[in-house]
Structure formats: structure tokens, C-alpha cells
RNA sequence: GGCUGAGUGGCGAAACAGGUAGACGCGCCAGACUCAAAAUCUGGUGGUGGUGACACCGUGCCGGUUCGAUUCCGGCCUCAGCUACCA
């Protein structure tokens, strides 16, 4: 009998699945549904490495098991294909982003197909496809009509070298993370989405979803709900009011000064003549500094600021407080102004110390000569608040301010509105036109607003977005009035397409609607969503926001899009670097006595790092499929570590999984090991049922590594056995097939079945079959292991104790001593306490 | 600085609900097959001591609860991720 020829088997079954449309999404609606979704990839130019498919393999196992358990499964893949890297690649190669994207998608699809993933490829979609972004634009129109999309002059990250705005996440340490080009702040007209209107809504349903607690916490913190008060300080002689936001209105009596953000609009109005020069200098200096410099590590940096010459009246006691400006107050949080109570706020304390401003204690409990005290305590020096604790004092202070019309309780959020435009080519055009100084949304029957073909994808020389180059495209007619109009040259950010793709997957070829409402009702929500934790606060918050809006518009049936979320860990590879930081690939180094050296003898250091082409530590799935087979690769991806942990890649581990599959193959093909005869094989049967149980539980708990182990245990037992009942092996093939689907199909066929194993029923396990006839009881004397005894299952305590005491080694340790207490744990152990 | 998660053999890891720590795999060692090697198969493999049965130590560190702690509680150390003056 021929050996296990993975290449022939895998090619054969992949062709079979494609030809027979084995994984077409079922149309009947009588069965329960299961929607299992991967975070779809951005098809980059470098292709996949073994780190990417871990989540895909996991969801594929879930999808395959669910089909066998009788569910209608929606399991699909698509491409998040708009984005800057393709545009930059296009400029570099002097080709169109369309071409580059098509090429990259091809590569990705080929790599994924090789893995035998059971996607319904008829539902494949790409966000850069006009038939897709037509509906992204349609949703934008809905947001615009609801007043949730608006234009504003806002500071952005402008990269002069690239001639484009960058997203915050693309900028670190004041430079673009990809190229190292400098980034500066600049005010520009931008599209914004009013996600802040949904802050409460996004918090409200967070407890309902089955997500990792850490991710929920991150979203909560990102939204950053904060209860406090608005307090109005009059500026005498100016007829102006400074509104401050505070969470500590109880400490108002400790106010020794007021601080405005340097960019605060009132600054120029209240600054006195003799302070104007200093204030202007300070504001200029702050403007030069990047956001990063102002925030990161800034908490430890010395505080800066200048006095404006103005005073404001504290409404709680009528006292005058000097007004300063300082960059530790942020213009875009709260009201952009604070009152300072140095005694009970660390930042104010540092500032007051530096500029020698008064520090007035109003809450007992700390030593304000040493540090600010932020804890609770009885109030002092606070008039009507004296003696109250923090909570009561807050309430009392707010009540007083309310009566005087000088303030009120309020809630602010850390969450900012979403900057929703990019000055780039390769994104969805914002579907609006500008006419007579008005912005109008393009009617749905004229969507999509297609990207024009350009021969140059760079920004214009005067800094306009690339779309400004399309003169013909740019000029249009207002369909309402017939007047000439201009199209919008901004495009949407990459997050737009991924905000709703899970909805389009339900009905991806629909030309008349974004999705069919009936289909949406059947499939939503996504039952299981798997992807990296790096999307915790961006993609996952943005899509929840859109979904909430769509729900309010009655367009979707659920409040939340993703019922269960699971984060897969990051796979690391071993990288090698010499003293100068140059990377070496695995075959350029060798190990001698635990030390690594390059080919010419130079020492290199080995370390585990995130896989990347530039670190020469990637493993190519295609190579592994060729050498070991996709089934071996799939098994190792899941066996190497729990899904959430990622782990370190070792190709020898794939070889181990290959050996396991070789053993499975031999069981089925060598000699006449499989038998139709009834054979007494309790150990083997127990191993089988244990494996079924683990694989079954794996579908719920997503613990695939231990499921694979238990299948290995079964195969080890079966290999040792003289004969293996065919019925056992059939059940085993069923549970193996979601993990190693090609071999599963081949063996299923070998066992005489003519249909695909993909829809075979999932075997049941029998608790009774898991129980041993005799059980091993551990015996402890005084809490220390002293032996173990075999007793029949179901023995009573007395029998177990007698057996335990009869053990020779136990007797030795009991010798001449009195047993004070006897503890018997059924089926587990005996502890004889002396 | 804050929040979150994690520390178990040479390595990846397992341990259901407080009950025999290290399943399964990698690597390594020995044996079988082979002229030999590879592949495969069989056995062994936490450390120390002992010919041995066994004994002692061992789940980051210190302490606590318990007959019994990888698991629960308190304090600390290290690493990773996120966040960064949010009033």
C-alpha cells in the first residue's frame, strides 16, 4: 500500500470541494444558523506567513464541526483592499492601485486555498470593488442625513514628504511609522463622524456581548465616561465666562488658579496688555510641539505655562483666581479649561510648586506639604462643605452652583469624534458634491461615485488630494438644481469598508440593496468573530458605532454585530542578529554549544520576535504545504499553543504532526488492522470517547490544542492494539476531518463512503464509556504521596481505606503512629493525617 | 505612571470544580531494522542522592488559609500588550 501522499490527496480534495461547491451556504432556513467570521485581511504585497492562518484554521475547524452538528454555517472570506500601502506600491511600480490590489488578492487567495479552508468562495468580496463601496457610500449618506457626518476645520497629521494626511495610528514619535518621514500638525477641512453621540449607546450594550473582559475594558476606557460638573468663572471687566469641567467640584474652595488650554479661544480676549508678548510666545512654542511631545511621557516632564494677567471669580466663594495657560490642559477634552486645586490633584500640585502658587488644603487625610492628597476625607476650609466627605460635598457643591446658575452636573467622554477623511486616492470617494457653498449628498441611484482612473496617484503640487487631478470627474452637475457642482476630493479611511463587511457577506451580490432584510434577520449576529487584539478600540468600536446607527435606522435587527469575540495570539519566529543589528535567516546560521554563529563565524543572538519579512524569521505556508501538507500545518497551528496565546513557531513541530498523520494513514492502510469483528478493547474505546469529547468541547471552548492531544492519544492506543474495530476508526475519521480535512475525506472514501465527510454527523460520546472499571487511588500520609492502590470503581470508603492502609510503603510511613484523621476523595485519593 | 494578561522540565505546553504536577508533542538518550545512514518502530527522559525499593527538592519570590495549593487570599519581582497630563 502506498504511503501518505499529501500532495496528491490535497490537490484532489480541493478540486472536489470547488467542483461540487461543497461549502456553498445552505439556502433552507429550517436549521439553526451559525455565522463564524475571521477578521478579513488587508492583502499586502508580501503574502501570508504562518502567523496569519492560526485564526483562520481555528474558525475553519469550528465551521466544519458546526456543519457536522447540523447547523447552517456562514463561513466566508474577503479582502479589506483599500489602503495606503497599495497606493504607494502603485506609485513605486508605476501601475494602478487596482492592478496591485488584484495581484495581491490573487496571492492571498491562492495561499488560503492551499490550506483547505471551507469558505463559500461565491460570497467573496473586496471593499475596493465598486459594487461593494457603492453601499459603503450609501451608509455614509445615511450618516450624513442623520447629521452624524459633518465637515470641520481640525488639526491633522500632515506628512509633507508624502503630501497626505495620516491617521493617528500611522504616526509614532512624530514620524510616519512606515517611512520615517516627519509629520506635522496642520489645520485642514476634514470629514468627521459624530461617534461621540453614541458614547452612551456603545457603553450600554457592552455587557451583553461575550467578549474577552480585557477588550470590553479597553473599549470602556477608550470611551472614558466621566461624571462631574461644569463650573462657570466670571472674568470681571471682560464680561466673559470661563467654563471649566471638573470631577471634583467638592474641592472648589481649594482653587488657587484657573488654567486654559493654550489654544482656548478665550485666551486672546482676556490676556492683559503686559502679558500679551509672553502668552503669544508660549502659544507659538506649544503649536510647534507635536502632539506626541505634549502627551507621551509628559506626565513626568516639568510643567510649563504662563500667566495671562487676567483673574476669574470662583463662584463658590467669590474669590479671585489668576488665569494661566498651560499645555497640560488639553483643548479637546471637557471644556479645554480647568480650575486648579493643587492640594488635591497631582498635576496641579506639580504646577503650583513650580510657579509658587498657593496650595490650600480642603480635604483632610494627607500631608499636602509633601504631595497632593486625592483620597476621601472630611472637608475643611470649605465653608458649607466643612465636615462632609467627598461624595456628599460634590453633591452639595453642585446643588449650590445650580441654584446660583453658576454650574451644573455633567458628563464628558474621552472619546473624540472620528476623523473620517484622507487626502488619498485608494479609498472610497466621499459621496457628496459642493454647490453654491452647500454640501449635498449624492442620491442613491447615482451611487457608486466611482474612483476615476488617473495616471498619477500622487497629491497635486499645491497639496490637493490626488482626486483633484481628475478634472473631468471633479466637475459635475447638481441633479436637483442643474447647477455646476464639484465633487469631493477626500476619500474615506480604511476603517470604512471593514465597518460593515460582515453585513454584506450575508448577501454580497445584491445589486438593489446592501443586504436583504430577511437574510440579515436569519444570519445576524455574527456568532463567533476571531481576530487579533490590536483592533480592540478601533475597528471594533467603529463597526459597533455604525451598527448601532443602522439599528436606530431600523436597517439591522440586532443592537450588537458580534455576539462572541475571540482574540488569537501572535505567532513569533526566531530571528538572528549580529552585533551591528543585521538579520540572518535560519539557514545562514548554525548552533554550536548553545551559541549561534553566522556562516563566517560571527556570533549572532537569537530571539523571538513578531514574524516579519524584514526580520527574516517568517515561515512560508506554501513551503510547509509542499513539504508536510496542509493538514499537518493546520494541526500544528492549533496544537502548538492555545488559540489566544500565539507562541513560538518551530517547524519541527509540523514534522511531529506529520508523523501523527502518517500513523493515522498506516492504521487505515497497513495490513488488516481494521476489523469488522467485535473486539473487546476498553482502553481504545475510552481513548476514542475521550477524543470525541475533547473535540466536541473544542467547538465551544476553542481549546484546540488539547483536542489534538486526545486524538493523538487515541492513535497511540490504536497503533499498539492488535486490531481496531472499524466502527471506532470511522468515528475517529469524523472527528479528525475538521482538523485534517483532506485526509478526512480520503479516509472516509477508503472506508467505503461515497459522500463528503463534511456533512457526516458528528459522533456522540458516551460518559459511561469514559469510566474505568478499576480506579487508581493516590494515597497520602500527612499530605505526602506514599503510594497508590487499585480498587474497583464504585468501592465504598471503607474498602478504599483498607486497601490504602494495606499498601506496603504506606504501612512503613504509618508505622507505630496514630491516624488522627482519614480523608477520602471519591475516585481520587486518600489522605491519612497523623 | 495607570490598566490588563502571563510566569510550570532543555522547549511548546497539560492539569475538569483545591486532590498523584508535567498528559500530548518537539528535542535528547538507548535499543531494533540497516553494510551504513535516513526514515520507521520500541523504550527512557523535572532535579539531586541511592545498585535498588525509595527519599528529599520542585509550578517567579515571600507569607497566609487548608488534611492537602500550579489552583484560593495578601504582599513583592519579572515579562508582554494596551494606554499615556482626560481635570
Amino acid at each position: 500500500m502506498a504511503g501518505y501522499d499529501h500532495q496528491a490527496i490535497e490537490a484532489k480534495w480541493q478540486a472536489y470541494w470547488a467542483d461540487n461547491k461543497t461549502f456553498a451556504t445552505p439556502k433552507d432556513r429550517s436549521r439553526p444558523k451559525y455565522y463564524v467570521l475571521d477578521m478579513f485581511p488587508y492583502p499586502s504585497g508580501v503574502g501570508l506567513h504562518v502567523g496569519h492562518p492560526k485564526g483562520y484554521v481555528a474558525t475553519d475547524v469550528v465551521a466544519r464541526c458546526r456543519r457536522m452538528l447540523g447547523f447552517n454555517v456562514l463561513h466566508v472570506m474577503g479582502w479589506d483592499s483599500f489602503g495606503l500601502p497599495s497606493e504607494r506600491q502603485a506609485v513605486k511600480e508605476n501601475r494602478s492601485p487596482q492592478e496591485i490590489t488584484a495581484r495581491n488578492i490573487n496571492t492571498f487567495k491562492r495561499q488560503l486555498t492551499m490550506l483547505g479552508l471551507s469558505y463559500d468562495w461565491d460570497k467573496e468580496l473586496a471593499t475596493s470593488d465598486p459594487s461593494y463601496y457603492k453601499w459603503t457610500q450609501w451608509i455614509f449618506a445615511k450618516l450624513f442625513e442623520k447629521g452624524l457626518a459633518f465637515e470641520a476645520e481640525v488639526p491633522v497629521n500632515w506628512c509633507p514628504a508624502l503630501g497626505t494626511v495620516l491617521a493617528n495610528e500611522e504616526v509614532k514619535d512624530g514620524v510616519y511609522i512606515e517611512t520615517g518621514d516627519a509629520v506635522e500638525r496642520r489645520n485642514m477641512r476634514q470629514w468627521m463622524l459624530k461617534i461621540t453621540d453614541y458614547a452612551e449607546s456603545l457603553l450600554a450594550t457592552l455587557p451583553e456581548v461575550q467578549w474577552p473582559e480585557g477588550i470590553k475594558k479597553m473599549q470602556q476606557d477608550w470611551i472614558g465616561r466621566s461624571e462631574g460638573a461644569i463650573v462657570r468663572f466670571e472674568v470681571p471687566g471682560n464680561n466673559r465666562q470661563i467654563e471649566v469641567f471638573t470631577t471634583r467640584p467638592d474641592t472648589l474652595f481649594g482653587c488657587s488658579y484657573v488654567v486654559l488650554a493654550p489654544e482656548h479661544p478665550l485666551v486672546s480676549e482676556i490676556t492683559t496688555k503686559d502679558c500679551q508678548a509672553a502668552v503669544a510666545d508660549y502659544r507659538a512654542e506649544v503649536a510647534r510641539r507635536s502632539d506626541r511631545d505634549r502627551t507621551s511621557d509628559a506626565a513626568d516632564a516639568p510643567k510649563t505655562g504662563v500667566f495671562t494677567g487676567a483673574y476669574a471669580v470662583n463662584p463658590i466663594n467669590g474669590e479671585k483666581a489668576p488665569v494661566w495657560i498651560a499645555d497640560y490642559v488639553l483643548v479637546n477634552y471637557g471644556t479645554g479649561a480647568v480650575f486648579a486645586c493643587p492640594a488635591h490633584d497631582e498635576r496641579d500640585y506639580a504646577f503650583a510648586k513650580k510657579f509658587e502658587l498657593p496650595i490650600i488644603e480642603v480635604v483632610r487625610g494627607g500631608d499636602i506639604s509633601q504631595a497632593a492628597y486625592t483620597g476621601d476625607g472630611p472637608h475643611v476650609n470649605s465653608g458649607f462643605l466643612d465636615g462632609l466627605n467627598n461624595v456628599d460635598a460634590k453633591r452639595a457643591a453642585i446643588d449650590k452652583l445650580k441654584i446660583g446658575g453658576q454650574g451644573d452636573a455633567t458628563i464628558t467622554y474621552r472619546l473624540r469624534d472620528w476623523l473620517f477623511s484622507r487626502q488619498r486616492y485608494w479609498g472610497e470617494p466621499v459621496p457628496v458634491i459642493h454647490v453654491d457653498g452647500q454640501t449635498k449628498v449624492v442620491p442613491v441611484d447615482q451611487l457608486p461615485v466611482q474612483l476615476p482612473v488617473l495616471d498619477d496617484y500622487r497629491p497635486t503640487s499645491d497639496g490637493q488630494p490626488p482626486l483633484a487631478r481628475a478634472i473631468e470627474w471633479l466637475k459635475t452637475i447638481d441633479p436637483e438644481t442643474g447647477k455646476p457642482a464639484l465633487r469631493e476630493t477626500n476619500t474615506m479611511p480604511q476603517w470604512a469598508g471593514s465597518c460593515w463587511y460582515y453585513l454584506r457577506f450575508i448577501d454580497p451580490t445584491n445589486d438593489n440593496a446592501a443586504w436583504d432584510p430577511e437574510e440579515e434577520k436569519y444570519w445576524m449576529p455574527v456568532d463567533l468573530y476571531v481576530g487579533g487584539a490590536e483592533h480592540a478600540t478601533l475597528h471594533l468600536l467603529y463597526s459597533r458605532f455604525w451598527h448601532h446607527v443602522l439599528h436606530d435606522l431600523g436597517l439591522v435587527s440586532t443592537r450588537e454585530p458580534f455576539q462572541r469575540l475571540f482574540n488569537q495570539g501572535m505567532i513569533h519566529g526566531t530571528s538572528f542578529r549580529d552585533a551591528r543589528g543585521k538579520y540572518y535567516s535560519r539557514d545562514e546560521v548554525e548552533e554550536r554549544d548553545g551559541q549561534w554563529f553566522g556562516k563566517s563565524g560571527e556570533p549572532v543572538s537569537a530571539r523571538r520576535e513578531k514574524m516579519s519579512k524584514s526580520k527574516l524569521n517568517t515561515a512560508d505556508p506554501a513551503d510547509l504545504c509542499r513539504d508536510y501538507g496542509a493538514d499537518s500545518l493546520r494541526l500544528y497551528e492549533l496544537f502548538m499553543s492555545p488559540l489566544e496565546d500565539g507562541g513560538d513557531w518551530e517547524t519541527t513541530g509540523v514534522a511531529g504532526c506529520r508523523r501523527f498523520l502518517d500513523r493515522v494513514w498506516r492504521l487505515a492502510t497497513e495490513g488488516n488492522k481494521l476489523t469488522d469483528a467485535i473486539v473487546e478493547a476498553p482502553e481504545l474505546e475510552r481513548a476514542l470517547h475521550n477524543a470525541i469529547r475533547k473535540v466536541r468541547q473544542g467547538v465551544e471552548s476553542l481549546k484546540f490544542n488539547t483536542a489534538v492531544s486526545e486524538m493523538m492519544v487515541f492513535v497511540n492506543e490504536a497503533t499498539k492494539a492488535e486490531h481496531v474495530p472499524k466502527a471506532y476508526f470511522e468515528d475517529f475519521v469524523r472527528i479528525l476531518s475538521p482538523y485534517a480535512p483532506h485526509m478526512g475525506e480520503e479516509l472516509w472514501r477508503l472506508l467505503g463512503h461515497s459522500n463528503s465527510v463534511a456533512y457526516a454527523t458528528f459522533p456522540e460520546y458516551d460518559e459511561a464509556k469514559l469510566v474505568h472499571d478499576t480506579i487508581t487511588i493516590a494515597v497520602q500520609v500527612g499530605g505526602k504521596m506514599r503510594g497508590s492502590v487499585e480498587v474497583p470503581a464504585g468501592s465504598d470508603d471503607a474498602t478504599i481505606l483498607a486497601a490504602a492502609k494495606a499498601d506496603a510503603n504506606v504501612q512503613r510511613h504509618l508505622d507505630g503512629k496514630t491516624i488522627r484523621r482519614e480523608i477520602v476523595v471519591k475516585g481520587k485519593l486518600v489522605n491519612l493525617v497523623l
Side-chain angles (χ1 to χ4, degrees), chain A residues 660 664 667 683-689 691 708-720 724-725 728-733 735:
Chain A
F660 163 68
V664 174
L667 281 178
E683 289 299 324
L684 190 56
E685 190 179 40
R686 190 157 36 243
L688 174 68
H689 281 261
V708 176
S709 307
E710 293 305 328
M711 288 195 278
M712 286 173 169
V713 171
F714 170 79
V715 170
N716 290 347
E717 286 287 335
T719 301
K720 274 186 236 161
V724 175
Y728 290 6
F729 193 72
E730 273 211 20
D731 277 353
F732 174 73
V733 168
I735 60 169

Side-chain angles (χ1 to χ4, degrees), chain A residues 276-297:
Chain A
Q276 267 167 10
V279 165
D281 284 352
Y282 184 71
R283 293 179 89 181
E285 187 194 319
V286 167
R288 265 200 310 280
R289 245 183 287 170
S290 71
D291 233 25
R292 168 93 190 178
D293 293 337
R294 258 186 82 173
T295 54
S296 176
D297 298 317

Side-chain angles (χ1 to χ4, degrees), chain A residues 109 185 407 589 646 706:
Chain A
K109 191 171 176 182
R185 301 296 276 174
V589 296
T706 49

Side-chain angles (χ1 to χ4, degrees), chain A residues 486-607:
Chain A
L486 285 180
R487 292 199 185 277
E488 170 69 52
T489 55
N490 280 316
T491 53
M492 300 187 203
Q494 203 182 345
W495 309 106
S498 58
C499 264
W500 73 286
Y501 73 111
Y502 55 92
L503 287 165
R504 185 63 177 172
F505 269 138
I506 287 167
D507 193 14
T509 53
N510 194 331
D511 288 332
N512 305 312
W515 55 82
D516 180 286
E518 287 305 310
E519 294 289 293
E520 188 278 330
K521 216 175 258 167
Y522 179 72
W523 287 111
M524 283 301 286
V526 174
D527 295 280
L528 176 65
Y529 193 30
V530 175
E534 66 272 19
H535 294 112
T537 46
L538 296 166
H539 160 61
L540 287 169
L541 195 64
Y542 294 154
S543 32
R544 288 185 64 225
F545 164 48
W546 279 33
H547 202 84
H548 281 210
V549 175
L550 293 170
H551 187 247
D552 284 346
L553 291 167
L555 295 166
V556 293
S557 58
T558 66
R559 190 68 182 166
E560 285 294 327
F562 312 118
Q563 182 49 42
R564 184 175 181 194
L565 174 75
F566 201 90
N567 296 122
Q568 98 249 16
M570 178 120 51
I571 291 183
H572 292 224
T574 309
S575 60
F576 303 93
R577 264 200 299 183
D578 65 20
R580 289 170 308 158
K582 182 184 171 242
Y583 279 101
Y584 293 72
S585 73
R586 184 68 186 238
D587 29 270
E588 291 170 326
V589 296
E590 54 190 19
E591 190 181 11
R592 291 196 298 266
D593 308 321
Q595 297 282 310
W596 292 89
F597 298 92
K599 279 277 144 67
S600 46
E602 68 279 21
V604 295
S605 60
R607 47 185 257 172

Side-chain angles (χ1 to χ4, degrees), chain A residues 14 17 23 60 64 112-118 630 634 741-742:
Chain A
Q14 282 169 19
W17 296 329
F23 304 116
D60 196 57
R64 286 175 180 272
L112 289 180
T113 309
M114 231 176 334
L115 295 169
L117 301 167
S118 64
R634 289 170 61 111
H742 310 87

Side-chain angles (χ1 to χ4, degrees), chain A residues 193-354:
Chain A
L193 294 189
K194 219 161 171 30
I195 191 171
T196 48
D197 274 10
Y198 275 75
E200 274 309 315
S201 170
L202 291 167
L203 282 173
T205 41
L206 210 46
E208 293 167 19
V209 292
Q210 195 186 345
W211 286 19
E213 287 307 313
I215 301 285
K216 290 200 209 181
K217 180 84 167 54
M218 279 167 76
Q219 290 222 344
Q220 250 177 44
D221 291 348
W222 192 263
I223 294 168
R225 185 182 198 273
S226 177
E227 288 186 22
I230 290 270
V231 185
R232 283 180 281 274
F233 283 64
E234 298 284 344
V235 184
N238 239 339
N239 206 19
R240 291 285 172 193
Q241 280 184 339
I242 297 172
E243 281 203 335
V244 305
F245 173 72
T246 179
T247 55
R248 295 294 305 273
D250 60 306
T251 63
L252 265 169
F253 282 96
C255 169
S256 49
Y257 59 104
V258 169
V259 194
L260 299 182
E263 304 90 340
H264 197 287
L266 276 182
V267 173
S268 48
E269 297 186 38
I270 61 165
T271 302
T272 58
K273 255 208 177 76
D274 47 333
C275 290
Q276 267 167 10
V279 165
D281 284 352
Y282 184 71
R283 293 179 89 181
E285 187 194 319
V286 167
R288 265 200 310 280
R289 245 183 287 170
S290 71
D291 233 25
R292 168 93 190 178
D293 293 337
R294 258 186 82 173
T295 54
S296 176
D297 298 317
D300 314 321
K303 298 269 182 288
T304 62
V306 293
F307 179 45
T308 63
Y311 289 84
V313 179
N314 185 348
I316 209 94
N317 56 9
E319 281 179 22
K320 280 163 86 178
V323 181
W324 287 63
I325 60 171
D327 70 351
Y328 82 89
V329 174
L330 307 175
V331 71
N332 49 8
Y333 180 76
T335 59
V338 303
F339 86 81
C341 176
H344 306 290
D345 181 283
E346 283 160 24
R347 296 151 303 189
D348 298 341
Y349 191 86
F351 192 86
K353 277 279 179 200
K354 176 160 177 192

